[in-house]
Amino acid sequence: MRKLHLLLIGLLLVSIQLLKAQGSPDYTGGLKFKFNEDGSKYLRLISWAQVQANYNTDDSFDSNGNKNSKLNFNLRRARVLMFAQINKNFLILTHFGLNSLTSTTLSPTGKGDGSQLFFHDVWAQYNLGKDHTIGGGLHYFNGISRLNNQSTLNMMTLDNNRQSWATIGLSDQFARHLGVFLKGKFDKLQYRLAINDASSSSLDSRTAVAGGDAVYNGRLNLGSKDAGKTYAGYFDYHFLDQESNFLPYKVGTYLGGKKVFNVGAGFFMHPKGSVVDTGSALTPNLEGEDVSIFAVDAFYDSPIGENGSAITAYAVYQNSDYGKNYLYSAYGTGSMIYGHVGYVFNGDAAKTRYQPYVSYGTHSYDAVSDDRSTLGIGVNAYMSGHNSKLTLEYKNQQFGALDANTISLQAMIYL
């Protein structure tokens, strides 16, 4: 018992010293417990919070016909991530938290569904030599594009492009699948591949209508033998500085800390993931339709000159086939072009730096003649890099009768 007390006191003292260091712009490594002298055995902890104030310029009404407030607050993300290894050959990662806690998801005693923490990631991995790794669990080694593997710690825009998380809630749990993955690199070419179980539950709980469009719940309706597996992969070639692929989370902007130019391509396939009813109202006949999503993208991030300014640019083309005339929420059979660009003004990295940016996306759907367009204009104020920043963004989204305008201010800290 005495040894346990001494160990806990020692960990507490280490924690205090590391937390003090995290208040500095020279944040290096964060909260890390080393279990041997060279640091090869360790436990690493990361915690972050994103809090938003959102002002919707358009009037809206609740289910009782009452007018809603235009200003609302949102705990967009509250997360804890930790990973550890006691041997360089294997590692375990655990990531939990909650998302989008608002006045409508709060509960009186904190026991409601919207208030609960849940696992985002839990996986174990084993190294196959120096450059290749195999693992399994609830993981984020996704296919399709860089944005489908986006880290939420260092996005340049206020949030990720919604249509780029192309399977979220349909075949996965919050952009994570349960399965096995293989990741690594061949010189400048990095890769990630995964075979996963598709979720038997889906946000798309609609029932297929005879002669109607596809619905994405093939696993539920056809069973796991026919519609139970998904396949994903992403490959990117690194022409300049090499990015780390130690974790799956892709960096949004390096603020000039690296000179990166990558070109990538990826896919997601779910055989018979969707279903259509080829029968009649009296005699339904459900048939599976393959879901296939492909994308190509490019990412560029580089310092400009020697005074601290930098540029970040990204572009992606994505083709999505969810089945016949599929359209549900943000998802739809069709194609998408999206891009964003930002510029960090020169300045001392130890002081506040500003990064204005603009993003634009257009998405066409087979089911309707209208295109969805999204425009974002914003600015980041980095007070200690990504570890402490404010983001102000105006966003306009147009789709059919929808013409939504939102102004958001987000405060983020991660340690």
Side-chain angles (χ1 to χ4, degrees):
M1 182 63 72
R2 185 170 180 271
K3 290 182 178 180
L4 177 60
H5 287 163
L6 290 174
L7 175 60
L8 291 174
I9 293 171
L11 290 176
L12 178 61
L13 291 173
V14 172
S15 301
I16 291 172
Q17 292 301 315
L18 288 170
L19 286 170
K20 286 181 179 178
Q22 291 172 6
S24 166
D26 300 322
Y27 176 89
T28 54
L31 187 59
K32 186 175 183 180
F33 301 104
K34 298 180 180 179
F35 300 134
N36 61 354
E37 290 186 2
D38 64 7
S40 60
K41 301 179 181 182
Y42 64 86
L43 169 65
R44 172 81 163 91
L45 300 177
I46 303 174
S47 176
W48 67 102
Q50 297 168 344
V51 183
Q52 295 179 354
N54 297 310
Y55 183 82
N56 298 296
T57 63
D58 307 301
D59 292 329
S60 64
F61 299 87
D62 63 20
S63 58
N64 296 320
N66 300 311
K67 192 173 183 180
N68 289 321
S69 171
K70 292 185 176 182
L71 176 64
N72 296 280
F73 301 103
N74 179 14
L75 179 56
R76 181 64 183 93
R77 294 181 180 91
R79 307 276 189 85
V80 175
L81 184 149
M82 50 189 175
F83 52 91
Q85 66 174 39
I86 58 172
N87 184 302
K88 65 179 181 179
N89 293 321
F90 57 86
L91 176 143
I92 183 172
L93 182 142
T94 305
H95 174 196
F96 59 90
L98 58 74
N99 303 279
S100 298
L101 186 66
T102 68
S103 61
T104 60
T105 57
L106 285 169
S107 58
T109 59
K111 296 181 180 179
D113 291 341
S115 306
Q116 298 306 298
L117 302 178
F118 67 93
F119 284 117
H120 288 71
D121 303 287
V122 181
W123 76 75
Q125 64 182 50
Y126 301 85
N127 291 335
L128 304 174
K130 179 183 176 183
D131 295 326
H132 308 278
T133 301
I134 190 170
L138 183 64
H139 68 87
Y140 193 62
F141 288 93
N142 295 325
I144 305 177
S145 72
R146 184 183 185 92
L147 292 190
N148 199 42
N149 298 271
Q150 173 69 60
S151 167
T152 60
L153 285 174
N154 44 47
M155 292 181 287
M156 186 187 73
T157 53
L158 178 77
D159 214 315
N160 200 30
N161 177 50
R162 180 63 183 81
Q163 282 72 32
S164 291
W165 272 322
T167 63
I168 191 168
L170 296 178
S171 65
D172 59 35
Q173 176 175 282
F174 225 85
R176 278 80 176 176
H177 281 93
L178 186 61
V180 295
F181 63 84
L182 181 68
K183 61 102 171 178
K185 65 178 182 177
F186 298 96
D187 193 19
K188 295 184 177 182
L189 177 66
Q190 294 189 7
Y191 71 90
R192 57 185 67 192
L193 296 165
I195 301 175
N196 307 300
D197 273 337
S199 173
S200 61
S201 61
S202 171
L203 286 176
D204 190 354
S205 58
R206 298 174 299 173
T207 300
V209 177
D213 302 332
V215 298
Y216 199 154
N217 46 39
R219 165 82 188 254
L220 177 66
N221 284 286
L222 302 177
S224 60
K225 181 179 180 180
D226 288 338
K229 292 292 184 289
T230 70
Y231 307 88
Y234 181 70
F235 308 84
D236 53 341
Y237 191 85
H238 299 225
F239 289 93
L240 303 176
D241 290 349
Q242 304 298 292
E243 292 187 275
S244 171
N245 70 341
F246 179 70
L247 297 178
Y249 315 106
K250 290 291 190 179
V251 171
T253 174
Y254 285 101
L255 306 178
K258 283 180 175 286
K259 190 171 185 178
V260 176
F261 176 53
N262 300 344
V263 174
F267 67 91
F268 171 85
M269 301 184 71
H270 184 182
K272 298 185 179 180
S274 291
V275 292
V276 293
D277 188 348
T278 59
S280 65
L282 296 178
T283 56
N285 181 46
L286 295 181
E287 293 186 1
E289 294 214 334
D290 295 343
V291 173
S292 58
I293 305 172
F294 301 93
V296 292
D297 60 3
F299 174 69
Y300 181 71
D301 192 296
S302 176
I304 299 176
E306 303 294 332
N307 58 6
S309 58
I311 188 171
T312 300
Y314 176 79
V316 60
Y317 169 78
Q318 178 176 306
N319 184 275
S320 305
D321 185 353
Y322 295 93
K324 175 189 172 185
N325 288 333
Y326 186 83
L327 184 60
Y328 178 76
S329 184
Y331 319 97
T333 294
S335 61
M336 176 192 74
I337 297 175
Y338 170 83
H340 59 232
V341 60
Y343 179 83
V344 179
F345 288 111
N346 58 40
D348 188 342
K351 299 179 181 179
T352 302
R353 303 168 70 195
Y354 297 95
Q355 181 190 46
Y357 65 83
V358 61
S359 65
Y360 181 76
T362 179
H363 201 150
S364 63
Y365 301 102
D366 291 356
V368 293
S369 58
D370 292 324
D371 292 347
R372 182 193 301 269
S373 65
T374 306
L375 171 68
I377 301 172
V379 60
N380 293 309
Y382 297 96
M383 293 165 283
S384 182
H386 287 290
N387 298 105
S388 178
K389 73 175 182 179
L390 294 174
T391 302
L392 179 66
E393 183 182 273
Y394 162 78
K395 188 172 186 179
N396 171 261
Q397 184 174 193
Q398 297 183 10
F399 181 48
L402 175 68
D403 187 359
N405 298 277
T406 306
I407 299 172
S408 299
L409 177 65
Q410 175 176 278
M412 172 179 167
I413 293 178
Y414 95 78
L415 299 173

